[in-house]
Amino acid sequence: SSELVWKSKTSNIFPLEQATAAQPLQLFLAKLASISLIPVILILISMMVGILFQRSQGIPWIDITLYLSLLYYVALPLVLSAVIIVAIQSMFANKYAGLAVAALFTFLTATKLGGMMGITHPLLTYGSTFHMLYGDMNGFGSYNDAFNWRIIYNAGIAVCTIVAVAWFHSPGQKNRLQKIILASAAFI
């Protein structure tokens, strides 16, 4: 995502991009949409490979709803993570500083590294996928409700982040550091 966010500045197309009538929020949403398509396409390819493998083994019944649930249980948390990562990188003036902060945020909230450092509360984890087992008798069990509430919570954070990015990129009198501090305070 870092290369996507910074491509126009590194290839010197940024002045041309700024001269267009497109708003910064539109450019942010376009970059977000393109980076969000990557996990969706990879999961769709994985679904097709799984279906083809089942057909090659002679299994007559394929549970399409189970395959489609991968888009909800795996792709949606990754897309929500992409919102935060692209937002963090678009708020920094330095490519590598934005990349470092986005990587630190991801490591602390979506991996086991955060758990080893004491970040174990479910409201502090962001963008982690569904890790429960599937059974033929009861599907994913009663864990669906907890995952649904966590997705709603994470989606709320993603919407607040998009609003903060829109405000951050709006023209105004505040300098960049003040906007970062105020956007971070609004995010928290």
Side-chain angles (χ1 to χ4, degrees):
S1 68
S2 175
E3 287 300 318
L4 179 70
V5 171
W6 289 92
K7 188 67 174 172
S8 63
K9 289 184 182 176
T10 57
S11 61
N12 293 329
I13 299 201
F14 186 69
L16 181 65
E17 192 177 82
Q18 293 298 312
T20 63
Q23 298 293 321
L25 181 63
Q26 293 171 333
L27 298 173
F28 170 77
L29 292 176
K31 292 173 184 178
L32 179 62
S34 62
I35 199 74
S36 296
L37 281 176
I38 294 172
V40 172
I41 289 171
L42 289 175
I43 289 172
L44 288 173
I45 291 171
S46 299
M47 289 169 41
M48 294 304 294
V49 168
I51 291 171
L52 290 174
F53 181 74
Q54 280 186 307
R55 283 292 184 201
S56 70
Q57 297 297 317
I59 298 173
W61 185 69
I62 296 173
D63 191 4
I64 296 295
T65 57
L66 179 61
Y67 280 111
L68 292 177
S69 70
L70 291 176
L71 292 172
Y72 177 68
Y73 290 118
V74 179
L76 185 58
L78 295 176
V79 168
L80 292 175
S81 292
V83 171
I84 298 291
I85 291 169
V86 173
I88 288 171
Q89 291 178 356
S90 70
M91 287 187 188
F92 279 87
N94 186 339
K95 173 182 178 179
Y96 298 109
L99 182 62
V101 171
L104 182 67
F105 178 82
T106 303
F107 284 136
L108 291 178
T109 60
T111 64
K112 299 220 185 273
L113 179 66
M116 292 182 342
M117 296 181 74
I119 303 173
T120 57
H121 196 276
L123 294 179
L124 297 177
T125 59
Y126 185 85
S128 57
T129 58
F130 192 67
H131 295 291
M132 301 305 157
L133 296 176
Y134 178 80
D136 289 334
M137 294 292 283
N138 64 347
F140 290 111
S142 61
Y143 297 107
N144 283 333
D145 292 336
F147 184 76
N148 293 339
W149 282 109
R150 195 170 84 200
I151 285 295
I152 290 170
Y153 174 73
N154 287 345
I157 291 174
V159 168
C160 289
T161 304
I162 291 172
V163 169
V165 166
W167 178 78
F168 178 77
H169 289 297
S170 66
Q173 300 299 322
K174 295 179 177 57
N175 65 16
R176 192 167 188 87
L177 181 61
Q178 287 175 331
K179 284 187 174 185
I180 288 175
I181 291 170
L182 290 174
S184 300
F187 179 71
I188 293 172

